[in-house]
Amino acid sequence: PPVRLWVRRVGVYCDEHRKTWLVAAEEASMLRARIQRVQVPLGEALRPSQLPPSRLPHMWQLSQGEQYRDSNSRVWEIEHHLMVRMVATL
């Protein structure tokens, strides 16, 4: 799993190896997100002030175990989907 994810544009994050991940928020009552490794052109990164309001944070960092903390120190449940030879695996 990625150690850090930084927002590049709406729904697109980049990890420490410059791999791109598509991110979608899940349930409104919990801090939960689903990330999927998808190759997309990086293009120019948007500044946080250029992004529309979103429940998704500007950055996540892997914490203990499989937990991620966002830029506001909130703990998120993240579900990883990696693409291996065009076959999705969890």
Side-chain angles (χ1 to χ4, degrees):
V3 173
R4 286 187 187 90
L5 291 167
W6 294 273
V7 67
R8 294 288 294 190
R9 57 184 178 270
V10 176
V12 178
Y13 286 71
C14 185
D15 69 14
E16 64 277 5
H17 301 290
R18 296 186 52 82
K19 294 180 182 174
T20 51
W21 297 80
L22 297 182
V23 179
E26 293 289 310
E27 297 176 22
S29 62
M30 295 182 68
L31 294 175
R32 182 181 296 175
R34 181 175 300 219
I35 63 173
Q36 183 173 6
R37 170 73 181 92
V38 178
Q39 283 186 292
V40 296
L42 283 178
E44 283 293 316
L46 295 176
R47 288 181 288 214
S49 62
Q50 296 173 303
L51 294 167
S54 173
R55 280 183 22 102
L56 297 172
H58 298 134
M59 189 271 299
W60 278 298
Q61 181 166 332
L62 187 60
S63 186
Q64 295 176 328
E66 292 286 313
Q67 291 185 333
Y68 281 82
R69 290 195 180 271
D70 69 15
S71 45
N72 293 320
S73 295
R74 297 175 299 183
V75 176
W76 284 72
E77 181 179 323
I78 304 285
E79 196 173 306
H80 307 277
H81 288 265
L82 302 173
M83 296 304 290
V84 180
R85 294 189 190 162
M86 301 306 292
V87 177
T89 61
L90 289 180

Coordinates of all heavy atoms in Angstrom, one line a residue:
P1 N 0.8 -1.2 0.0 CA 0.0 0.0 0.0 C 0.9 1.3 0.0 O 2.0 1.2 0.5 CB -0.8 -0.1 1.3 CG 0.0 -1.0 2.2 CD 0.7 -1.9 1.3
P2 N 0.3 2.3 -0.5 CA 1.1 3.6 -0.5 C 1.3 4.1 1.0 O 0.5 3.8 1.8 CB 0.2 4.6 -1.2 CG -1.2 4.0 -1.2 CD -1.0 2.5 -1.1
V3 N 2.4 4.7 1.2 CA 2.7 5.3 2.5 C 2.1 6.7 2.7 O 1.5 7.0 3.7 CB 4.3 5.4 2.7 CG1 4.6 6.1 4.0 CG2 4.8 4.0 2.8
R4 N 2.2 7.5 1.6 CA 1.6 8.8 1.6 C 0.8 9.0 0.3 O 1.3 8.5 -0.8 CB 2.6 9.9 1.7 CG 3.2 10.0 3.1 CD 4.1 11.2 3.2 NE 4.8 11.2 4.4 CZ 6.0 10.6 4.7 NH1 6.6 10.0 3.7 NH2 6.5 10.7 5.9
L5 N -0.3 9.7 0.3 CA -1.0 10.1 -0.8 C -1.3 11.6 -0.8 O -1.8 12.1 0.2 CB -2.4 9.4 -0.9 CG -2.3 7.9 -1.2 CD1 -3.6 7.2 -0.9 CD2 -1.9 7.6 -2.6
W6 N -1.0 12.3 -1.9 CA -1.2 13.7 -2.0 C -2.2 14.0 -3.1 O -2.1 13.4 -4.2 CB 0.1 14.5 -2.3 CG 1.1 14.4 -1.2 CD1 1.3 15.3 -0.2 CD2 2.2 13.5 -1.1 NE1 2.4 15.0 0.6 CE2 3.0 13.9 0.0 CE3 2.6 12.4 -1.9 CZ2 4.1 13.2 0.4 CZ3 3.7 11.7 -1.5 CH2 4.5 12.1 -0.4
V7 N -3.1 14.9 -2.9 CA -4.1 15.2 -3.9 C -3.4 15.9 -5.1 O -2.5 16.8 -4.9 CB -5.3 16.1 -3.4 CG1 -4.8 17.4 -2.9 CG2 -6.4 16.1 -4.3
R8 N -3.8 15.5 -6.3 CA -3.2 16.2 -7.5 C -4.3 17.1 -8.1 O -4.1 18.1 -8.6 CB -2.8 15.2 -8.5 CG -1.6 14.4 -8.1 CD -0.3 15.2 -8.1 NE 0.0 15.6 -9.5 CZ 1.2 16.2 -9.8 NH1 2.1 16.4 -8.9 NH2 1.5 16.5 -11.0
R9 N -5.5 16.5 -8.2 CA -6.7 17.1 -8.7 C -7.9 16.4 -8.1 O -7.7 15.4 -7.4 CB -6.8 17.3 -10.2 CG -6.7 16.0 -10.9 CD -6.6 16.3 -12.4 NE -6.5 15.1 -13.2 CZ -5.4 14.5 -13.6 NH1 -4.2 15.1 -13.2 NH2 -5.3 13.4 -14.3
V10 N -9.1 16.8 -8.4 CA -10.3 16.2 -7.7 C -10.3 14.7 -8.0 O -10.3 14.2 -9.1 CB -11.6 16.8 -8.3 CG1 -12.8 16.1 -7.7 CG2 -11.6 18.3 -8.0
G11 N -10.3 13.9 -6.9 CA -10.3 12.4 -7.0 C -9.0 11.7 -7.4 O -9.0 10.5 -7.4
V12 N -8.0 12.4 -7.7 CA -6.7 11.8 -8.1 C -5.6 12.2 -7.1 O -5.4 13.4 -6.8 CB -6.3 12.3 -9.6 CG1 -5.0 11.7 -10.0 CG2 -7.4 12.0 -10.6
Y13 N -5.0 11.1 -6.6 CA -3.9 11.3 -5.7 C -2.6 10.7 -6.2 O -2.7 9.8 -7.1 CB -4.3 10.6 -4.4 CG -5.3 11.4 -3.6 CD1 -6.6 11.5 -4.0 CD2 -4.9 12.1 -2.4 CE1 -7.5 12.2 -3.2 CE2 -5.8 12.8 -1.7 CZ -7.1 12.8 -2.1 OH -8.1 13.6 -1.4
C14 N -1.5 11.1 -5.7 CA -0.2 10.6 -6.2 C 0.5 10.1 -4.9 O 0.5 10.7 -3.9 CB 0.6 11.7 -6.8 SG 2.1 11.2 -7.5
D15 N 1.2 8.9 -5.0 CA 1.9 8.4 -3.9 C 3.4 8.8 -3.9 O 3.8 9.5 -4.8 CB 1.7 6.9 -3.8 CG 2.4 6.1 -4.8 OD1 3.2 6.6 -5.6 OD2 2.0 4.9 -5.0
E16 N 4.1 8.2 -3.0 CA 5.6 8.6 -2.9 C 6.4 8.1 -4.1 O 7.5 8.5 -4.2 CB 6.1 8.0 -1.6 CG 6.1 6.5 -1.4 CD 4.8 6.0 -0.9 OE1 3.8 6.7 -0.8 OE2 4.7 4.8 -0.7
H17 N 5.8 7.2 -4.9 CA 6.5 6.7 -6.1 C 6.0 7.3 -7.4 O 6.2 6.7 -8.4 CB 6.4 5.1 -6.1 CG 7.0 4.5 -4.9 ND1 8.4 4.5 -4.6 CD2 6.4 3.9 -3.9 CE1 8.6 3.9 -3.5 NE2 7.4 3.5 -3.0
R18 N 5.2 8.3 -7.2 CA 4.6 9.0 -8.3 C 3.6 8.2 -9.1 O 3.3 8.4 -10.3 CB 5.6 9.6 -9.3 CG 6.4 10.7 -8.6 CD 7.4 11.4 -9.6 NE 6.8 12.0 -10.7 CZ 6.2 13.2 -10.8 NH1 6.0 13.9 -9.8 NH2 5.7 13.6 -12.0
K19 N 3.0 7.2 -8.4 CA 1.9 6.3 -9.0 C 0.6 7.0 -8.7 O 0.5 7.7 -7.6 CB 2.0 4.9 -8.4 CG 3.2 4.2 -8.8 CD 3.2 2.8 -8.2 CE 4.5 2.1 -8.6 NZ 4.6 0.8 -8.0
T20 N -0.3 6.9 -9.5 CA -1.6 7.6 -9.4 C -2.7 6.7 -8.8 O -2.7 5.5 -9.2 CB -2.1 8.3 -10.7 OG1 -2.0 7.3 -11.7 CG2 -1.2 9.4 -11.1
W21 N -3.5 7.2 -8.0 CA -4.6 6.5 -7.4 C -5.9 7.3 -7.5 O -5.9 8.5 -7.3 CB -4.3 6.3 -5.9 CG -3.1 5.5 -5.6 CD1 -1.8 5.9 -5.7 CD2 -3.1 4.1 -5.3 NE1 -1.0 4.9 -5.4 CE2 -1.7 3.8 -5.1 CE3 -4.1 3.2 -5.0 CZ2 -1.3 2.5 -4.7 CZ3 -3.7 1.9 -4.7 CH2 -2.3 1.6 -4.5
L22 N -7.0 6.7 -7.9 CA -8.3 7.3 -7.9 C -8.9 7.0 -6.6 O -8.9 5.9 -6.1 CB -9.2 6.7 -9.0 CG -8.6 7.0 -10.5 CD1 -9.6 6.4 -11.5 CD2 -8.4 8.4 -10.7
V23 N -9.5 8.0 -6.0 CA -10.1 7.9 -4.7 C -11.6 8.4 -4.7 O -11.9 9.3 -5.3 CB -9.3 8.8 -3.7 CG1 -9.9 8.8 -2.3 CG2 -7.8 8.4 -3.7
A24 N -12.4 7.6 -3.9 CA -13.8 7.9 -3.8 C -14.1 7.8 -2.3 O -13.8 6.9 -1.7 CB -14.6 7.0 -4.6
A25 N -14.9 8.8 -1.8 CA -15.4 8.8 -0.4 C -16.5 7.8 -0.4 O -17.2 7.6 -1.4 CB -15.9 10.1 0.0
E26 N -16.6 7.1 0.7 CA -17.7 6.1 0.9 C -18.8 6.7 1.7 O -19.3 7.7 1.4 CB -17.1 4.8 1.5 CG -16.1 4.1 0.5 CD -16.7 3.5 -0.6 OE1 -17.7 2.7 -0.4 OE2 -16.3 3.7 -1.8
E27 N -19.1 6.0 2.9 CA -20.2 6.4 3.7 C -20.0 7.8 4.3 O -19.0 8.2 4.7 CB -20.4 5.4 4.8 CG -20.7 4.0 4.3 CD -20.7 3.0 5.5 OE1 -20.9 3.4 6.6 OE2 -20.6 1.8 5.2
A28 N -21.1 8.5 4.4 CA -21.1 9.9 4.9 C -20.9 9.8 6.5 O -20.4 10.8 7.0 CB -22.4 10.6 4.6
S29 N -21.3 8.8 7.1 CA -21.3 8.7 8.6 C -19.9 8.3 9.1 O -19.6 8.5 10.3 CB -22.3 7.7 9.1 OG -22.0 6.4 8.6
M30 N -19.0 7.8 8.2 CA -17.7 7.3 8.7 C -16.6 7.9 7.7 O -16.9 8.3 6.6 CB -17.6 5.8 8.6 CG -18.5 5.0 9.5 SD -18.2 3.3 9.3 CE -16.6 3.1 10.0
L31 N -15.4 8.0 8.2 CA -14.3 8.4 7.4 C -13.8 7.2 6.7 O -13.0 6.4 7.2 CB -13.2 9.1 8.2 CG -13.7 10.4 8.9 CD1 -12.6 10.9 9.8 CD2 -14.0 11.4 7.8
R32 N -14.3 6.9 5.5 CA -13.9 5.7 4.8 C -13.7 6.1 3.3 O -14.5 6.9 2.8 CB -15.0 4.7 4.9 CG -14.7 3.4 4.2 CD -15.8 2.4 4.3 NE -16.1 2.1 5.7 CZ -17.0 1.3 6.1 NH1 -17.9 0.8 5.2 NH2 -17.2 1.0 7.3
A33 N -12.7 5.6 2.7 CA -12.5 5.8 1.3 C -12.0 4.6 0.6 O -11.4 3.7 1.2 CB -11.4 6.9 1.1
R34 N -12.2 4.5 -0.7 CA -11.7 3.4 -1.5 C -10.7 4.0 -2.5 O -11.0 5.0 -3.1 CB -12.9 2.8 -2.3 CG -12.6 1.6 -3.1 CD -13.8 1.1 -3.7 NE -14.7 0.7 -2.6 CZ -15.4 -0.4 -2.5 NH1 -15.5 -1.2 -3.6 NH2 -16.1 -0.7 -1.5
I35 N -9.5 3.4 -2.6 CA -8.5 3.8 -3.5 C -8.2 2.7 -4.5 O -8.2 1.6 -4.1 CB -7.2 4.3 -2.8 CG1 -6.5 3.2 -2.0 CG2 -7.5 5.5 -1.9 CD1 -5.2 3.7 -1.5
Q36 N -8.0 3.1 -5.7 CA -7.7 2.1 -6.8 C -6.5 2.7 -7.6 O -6.5 3.8 -8.0 CB -8.9 2.0 -7.7 CG -8.7 0.9 -8.8 CD -9.9 0.6 -9.5 OE1 -10.9 1.3 -9.4 NE2 -9.9 -0.3 -10.4
R37 N -5.5 1.8 -7.8 CA -4.3 2.2 -8.5 C -4.7 2.2 -10.0 O -5.0 1.2 -10.6 CB -3.2 1.2 -8.2 CG -2.0 1.2 -9.1 CD -1.1 2.4 -8.7 NE 0.0 2.4 -9.6 CZ 0.1 3.1 -10.8 NH1 -0.9 3.7 -11.2 NH2 1.1 3.0 -11.5
V38 N -4.6 3.4 -10.6 CA -5.0 3.5 -12.0 C -4.0 4.5 -12.6 O -3.7 5.6 -12.0 CB -6.4 4.1 -12.2 CG1 -6.7 4.4 -13.6 CG2 -7.4 3.2 -11.6
Q39 N -3.4 4.2 -13.7 CA -2.5 5.1 -14.4 C -3.2 6.2 -15.1 O -4.1 5.9 -15.9 CB -1.6 4.3 -15.4 CG -0.5 3.5 -14.8 CD 0.4 2.9 -15.9 OE1 -0.1 2.1 -16.6 NE2 1.6 3.4 -16.0
V40 N -3.0 7.4 -14.6 CA -3.6 8.6 -15.3 C -2.4 9.6 -15.4 O -1.5 9.6 -14.6 CB -4.7 9.2 -14.5 CG1 -5.9 8.2 -14.5 CG2 -4.4 9.6 -13.1
P41 N -2.5 10.4 -16.5 CA -1.4 11.5 -16.6 C -1.5 12.4 -15.4 O -2.5 12.8 -14.9 CB -1.8 12.2 -17.9 CG -2.8 11.3 -18.6 CD -3.4 10.5 -17.6
L42 N -0.3 12.7 -14.8 CA -0.2 13.5 -13.6 C -0.7 15.0 -13.9 O -1.4 15.5 -13.2 CB 1.2 13.5 -13.0 CG 1.5 12.3 -12.2 CD1 3.0 12.4 -11.7 CD2 0.6 12.1 -11.0
G43 N -0.2 15.5 -15.0 CA -0.5 16.9 -15.3 C -0.1 17.8 -14.2 O 0.7 17.5 -13.3
E44 N -0.5 19.0 -14.2 CA -0.2 20.0 -13.1 C -1.1 19.7 -11.9 O -2.3 19.5 -12.0 CB -0.5 21.4 -13.6 CG 0.5 22.0 -14.5 CD 1.9 22.2 -13.9 OE1 1.9 22.7 -12.7 OE2 2.9 21.8 -14.5
A45 N -0.4 19.8 -10.7 CA -1.1 19.6 -9.5 C -1.9 20.9 -9.1 O -1.4 22.0 -9.4 CB -0.2 19.3 -8.3
L46 N -3.1 20.8 -8.6 CA -3.8 21.9 -8.2 C -3.4 22.3 -6.7 O -3.2 21.4 -5.9 CB -5.3 21.6 -8.2 CG -5.9 21.4 -9.6 CD1 -7.4 21.0 -9.5 CD2 -5.8 22.6 -10.5
R47 N -3.4 23.5 -6.4 CA -3.2 24.0 -5.0 C -4.5 23.7 -4.3 O -5.6 23.7 -4.9 CB -2.9 25.4 -5.0 CG -1.5 25.7 -5.5 CD -1.2 27.2 -5.4 NE -2.0 27.8 -6.4 CZ -1.7 28.9 -7.1 NH1 -0.6 29.5 -6.8 NH2 -2.5 29.4 -8.0
P48 N -4.4 23.4 -3.0 CA -5.7 23.2 -2.2 C -6.7 24.3 -2.3 O -7.9 24.0 -2.4 CB -5.1 23.1 -0.7 CG -3.7 22.6 -0.9 CD -3.2 23.2 -2.2
S49 N -6.3 25.5 -2.5 CA -7.2 26.6 -2.6 C -8.0 26.6 -4.0 O -9.0 27.2 -4.2 CB -6.5 28.0 -2.5 OG -5.5 28.1 -3.5
Q50 N -7.4 25.8 -4.9 CA -8.1 25.7 -6.3 C -9.1 24.5 -6.3 O -9.8 24.4 -7.3 CB -7.0 25.4 -7.3 CG -6.1 26.6 -7.5 CD -5.0 26.2 -8.5 OE1 -4.2 25.3 -8.3 NE2 -4.8 27.0 -9.6
L51 N -9.1 23.7 -5.3 CA -10.0 22.5 -5.3 C -11.3 22.9 -4.7 O -11.4 23.7 -3.8 CB -9.3 21.4 -4.4 CG -8.1 20.8 -4.9 CD1 -7.4 19.9 -3.9 CD2 -8.3 19.9 -6.2
P52 N -12.4 22.3 -5.2 CA -13.7 22.5 -4.7 C -13.8 21.8 -3.3 O -13.0 20.9 -3.0 CB -14.7 21.8 -5.7 CG -13.8 20.8 -6.4 CD -12.4 21.3 -6.4
P53 N -14.8 22.2 -2.5 CA -15.0 21.6 -1.2 C -15.2 20.1 -1.3 O -15.9 19.6 -2.3 CB -16.2 22.3 -0.6 CG -16.4 23.5 -1.4 CD -15.8 23.3 -2.7
S54 N -14.6 19.3 -0.4 CA -14.7 17.9 -0.5 C -14.5 17.3 0.9 O -13.8 17.9 1.7 CB -13.6 17.3 -1.4 OG -13.6 15.9 -1.4
R55 N -15.1 16.1 1.1 CA -14.8 15.4 2.4 C -13.4 14.8 2.4 O -12.9 14.5 3.4 CB -15.8 14.2 2.5 CG -17.2 14.7 3.0 CD -18.1 13.5 3.2 NE -17.5 12.2 3.4 CZ -17.3 11.5 4.5 NH1 -17.8 12.1 5.6 NH2 -16.8 10.3 4.6
L56 N -12.9 14.6 1.2 CA -11.6 14.0 1.1 C -10.5 15.0 1.4 O -10.5 16.1 1.1 CB -11.3 13.5 -0.4 CG -12.3 12.4 -0.8 CD1 -12.1 12.1 -2.3 CD2 -12.1 11.1 0.0
P57 N -9.5 14.5 2.2 CA -8.4 15.4 2.6 C -7.4 15.7 1.5 O -7.4 15.0 0.4 CB -7.7 14.6 3.7 CG -7.9 13.2 3.3 CD -9.3 13.1 2.7
H58 N -6.5 16.6 1.7 CA -5.4 16.9 0.8 C -4.3 15.9 0.8 O -3.5 15.8 -0.1 CB -4.9 18.3 1.0 CG -5.9 19.3 0.8 ND1 -6.1 20.4 1.7 CD2 -6.9 19.5 -0.1 CE1 -7.1 21.1 1.3 NE2 -7.6 20.6 0.2
M59 N -4.2 15.2 2.0 CA -3.1 14.2 2.2 C -3.5 13.1 3.2 O -4.2 13.4 4.1 CB -1.8 15.0 2.7 CG -0.5 14.2 2.7 SD -0.2 13.2 4.2 CE -0.1 14.5 5.4
W60 N -3.0 11.9 2.9 CA -3.1 10.8 3.8 C -1.7 10.3 4.1 O -0.9 10.2 3.2 CB -3.9 9.7 3.3 CG -5.4 9.8 3.3 CD1 -6.2 9.8 4.5 CD2 -6.3 9.7 2.3 NE1 -7.5 9.9 4.1 CE2 -7.6 9.8 2.8 CE3 -6.2 9.7 0.9 CZ2 -8.7 9.8 2.0 CZ3 -7.3 9.7 0.1 CH2 -8.5 9.8 0.7
Q61 N -1.5 9.7 5.3 CA -0.3 9.1 5.6 C -0.6 7.8 6.3 O -1.4 7.8 7.3 CB 0.6 9.9 6.5 CG 2.0 9.2 6.8 CD 3.0 10.2 7.4 OE1 3.0 11.4 7.1 NE2 3.9 9.6 8.1
L62 N 0.1 6.7 5.9 CA -0.1 5.4 6.6 C 0.3 5.5 8.0 O 1.4 6.0 8.3 CB 0.7 4.3 5.8 CG 0.5 2.9 6.2 CD1 -1.0 2.5 6.1 CD2 1.4 2.0 5.4
S63 N -0.5 5.0 8.9 CA -0.2 5.1 10.3 C 0.0 3.7 10.8 O 0.7 2.9 10.1 CB -1.4 5.8 11.0 OG -1.2 6.0 12.4
Q64 N -0.5 3.3 11.9 CA -0.4 1.9 12.4 C -1.2 1.0 11.6 O -2.4 1.2 11.3 CB -0.8 1.9 13.9 CG 0.1 2.7 14.8 CD -0.4 2.7 16.2 OE1 -1.6 2.6 16.5 NE2 0.5 2.7 17.2
G65 N -0.6 -0.2 11.3 CA -1.4 -1.2 10.6 C -1.8 -0.7 9.2 O -1.1 -0.2 8.4
E66 N -3.1 -0.8 9.0 CA -3.7 -0.4 7.7 C -4.4 1.0 7.8 O -5.2 1.3 7.0 CB -4.7 -1.4 7.2 CG -4.0 -2.7 6.8 CD -3.3 -2.6 5.5 OE1 -3.9 -2.0 4.5 OE2 -2.1 -3.0 5.4
Q67 N -4.2 1.6 9.0 CA -4.9 2.9 9.2 C -4.2 4.1 8.5 O -3.0 4.1 8.5 CB -5.1 3.2 10.6 CG -6.1 2.3 11.3 CD -6.3 2.7 12.8 OE1 -5.4 3.3 13.4 NE2 -7.4 2.4 13.3
Y68 N -4.9 5.0 8.0 CA -4.4 6.2 7.5 C -4.9 7.4 8.3 O -6.0 7.5 8.7 CB -4.8 6.4 6.0 CG -4.0 5.6 5.0 CD1 -4.3 4.2 4.8 CD2 -3.0 6.1 4.3 CE1 -3.6 3.4 4.0 CE2 -2.2 5.3 3.4 CZ -2.6 4.0 3.3 OH -1.9 3.2 2.4
R69 N -4.0 8.4 8.4 CA -4.3 9.7 9.1 C -4.3 10.7 8.0 O -3.4 10.7 7.1 CB -3.4 10.0 10.2 CG -3.5 9.1 11.4 CD -2.8 9.7 12.6 NE -3.0 8.8 13.7 CZ -4.0 8.8 14.6 NH1 -5.0 9.7 14.4 NH2 -4.1 8.0 15.5
D70 N -5.3 11.6 8.0 CA -5.3 12.7 7.0 C -4.6 13.9 7.6 O -4.0 13.9 8.7 CB -6.8 13.0 6.6 CG -7.6 13.7 7.7 OD1 -7.1 14.1 8.7 OD2 -8.8 13.7 7.5
S71 N -4.6 15.0 6.8 CA -3.8 16.2 7.2 C -4.4 16.9 8.4 O -3.7 17.7 9.0 CB -3.8 17.1 6.0 OG -5.0 17.3 5.4
N72 N -5.6 16.4 8.9 CA -6.2 17.0 10.1 C -6.1 16.0 11.3 O -6.8 16.1 12.2 CB -7.6 17.4 9.9 CG -7.7 18.5 8.9 OD1 -7.0 19.5 9.0 ND2 -8.7 18.5 8.0
S73 N -5.3 14.9 11.1 CA -5.0 13.9 12.1 C -6.3 13.0 12.3 O -6.4 12.3 13.4 CB -4.6 14.4 13.4 OG -3.3 15.0 13.3
R74 N -7.2 13.0 11.4 CA -8.4 12.1 11.5 C -8.0 10.7 11.0 O -7.2 10.6 10.0 CB -9.6 12.6 10.8 CG -10.1 13.9 11.3 CD -11.2 14.5 10.5 NE -10.7 14.7 9.1 CZ -11.4 15.3 8.1 NH1 -12.6 15.6 8.3 NH2 -10.8 15.5 6.9
V75 N -8.5 9.7 11.6 CA -8.2 8.3 11.1 C -9.2 7.9 10.1 O -10.4 8.0 10.3 CB -8.2 7.3 12.3 CG1 -8.0 5.9 11.8 CG2 -7.1 7.7 13.3
W76 N -8.8 7.3 9.0 CA -9.6 6.9 7.9 C -9.5 5.4 7.7 O -8.4 4.8 7.9 CB -9.2 7.5 6.6 CG -9.6 8.9 6.4 CD1 -9.1 10.0 7.1 CD2 -10.6 9.4 5.6 NE1 -9.7 11.2 6.7 CE2 -10.7 10.8 5.7 CE3 -11.5 8.9 4.6 CZ2 -11.5 11.7 5.0 CZ3 -12.3 9.7 3.9 CH2 -12.4 11.1 4.1
E77 N -10.5 4.8 7.3 CA -10.5 3.4 6.9 C -10.4 3.4 5.4 O -11.2 4.0 4.7 CB -11.8 2.7 7.3 CG -11.9 1.2 6.9 CD -13.2 0.6 7.3 OE1 -13.7 0.9 8.4 OE2 -13.7 -0.3 6.5
I78 N -9.3 2.8 4.9 CA -9.0 2.9 3.5 C -9.0 1.4 2.9 O -8.4 0.5 3.5 CB -7.6 3.5 3.2 CG1 -7.4 4.8 3.8 CG2 -7.2 3.4 1.7 CD1 -8.1 5.9 3.1
E79 N -9.7 1.3 1.8 CA -9.7 0.0 1.1 C -8.9 0.1 -0.1 O -9.1 1.0 -1.0 CB -11.2 -0.3 0.8 CG -11.4 -1.7 0.4 CD -12.9 -2.0 0.2 OE1 -13.7 -1.7 1.2 OE2 -13.3 -2.5 -0.8
H80 N -7.9 -0.7 -0.3 CA -7.0 -0.6 -1.4 C -7.4 -1.6 -2.5 O -7.8 -2.7 -2.3 CB -5.6 -1.1 -1.0 CG -5.0 -0.5 0.1 ND1 -4.4 0.7 0.1 CD2 -4.9 -0.8 1.4 CE1 -3.9 1.1 1.3 NE2 -4.3 0.1 2.1
H81 N -7.3 -1.1 -3.8 CA -7.5 -2.0 -4.9 C -6.3 -1.8 -5.8 O -6.2 -0.7 -6.4 CB -8.8 -1.6 -5.7 CG -10.1 -2.0 -4.9 ND1 -10.7 -3.1 -5.2 CD2 -10.7 -1.3 -3.9 CE1 -11.8 -3.2 -4.3 NE2 -11.8 -2.1 -3.6
L82 N -5.5 -2.8 -6.0 CA -4.3 -2.7 -6.8 C -4.6 -3.4 -8.2 O -5.3 -4.4 -8.2 CB -3.2 -3.4 -6.2 CG -2.8 -2.8 -4.8 CD1 -1.7 -3.7 -4.2 CD2 -2.3 -1.4 -4.9
M83 N -4.1 -2.8 -9.2 CA -4.3 -3.4 -10.5 C -3.0 -4.2 -10.8 O -1.9 -3.7 -10.9 CB -4.5 -2.3 -11.6 CG -5.7 -1.5 -11.5 SD -7.2 -2.5 -11.4 CE -7.4 -3.1 -13.0
V84 N -3.2 -5.5 -11.0 CA -2.0 -6.4 -11.3 C -2.4 -7.1 -12.6 O -3.3 -7.9 -12.6 CB -1.8 -7.4 -10.2 CG1 -0.6 -8.3 -10.6 CG2 -1.5 -6.7 -8.9
R85 N -1.7 -6.8 -13.7 CA -2.0 -7.4 -15.0 C -3.5 -7.2 -15.4 O -4.1 -8.2 -15.8 CB -1.5 -8.8 -15.1 CG 0.0 -8.9 -14.9 CD 0.4 -10.3 -15.2 NE 1.8 -10.5 -14.8 CZ 2.4 -11.6 -14.6 NH1 1.7 -12.7 -14.7 NH2 3.6 -11.6 -14.3
M86 N -4.0 -6.1 -15.1 CA -5.4 -5.8 -15.4 C -6.4 -6.6 -14.6 O -7.5 -6.8 -15.0 CB -5.7 -5.9 -16.9 CG -4.8 -5.0 -17.7 SD -4.9 -3.2 -17.2 CE -6.5 -2.8 -17.7
V87 N -6.0 -7.2 -13.5 CA -6.9 -8.0 -12.7 C -6.9 -7.3 -11.3 O -5.9 -7.1 -10.7 CB -6.4 -9.4 -12.5 CG1 -7.3 -10.2 -11.5 CG2 -6.4 -10.1 -13.8
A88 N -8.1 -6.9 -10.9 CA -8.2 -6.2 -9.6 C -8.0 -7.2 -8.4 O -8.5 -8.3 -8.4 CB -9.6 -5.5 -9.5
T89 N -7.2 -6.8 -7.4 CA -7.0 -7.6 -6.3 C -7.1 -6.7 -5.0 O -6.8 -5.5 -5.1 CB -5.6 -8.3 -6.2 OG1 -4.6 -7.2 -6.2 CG2 -5.4 -9.2 -7.4
L90 N -7.5 -7.3 -3.9 CA -7.6 -6.5 -2.7 C -6.4 -6.8 -1.8 O -5.8 -7.8 -1.8 CB -8.8 -6.9 -1.9 CG -10.2 -6.5 -2.5 CD1 -11.3 -7.0 -1.6 CD2 -10.2 -5.0 -2.6

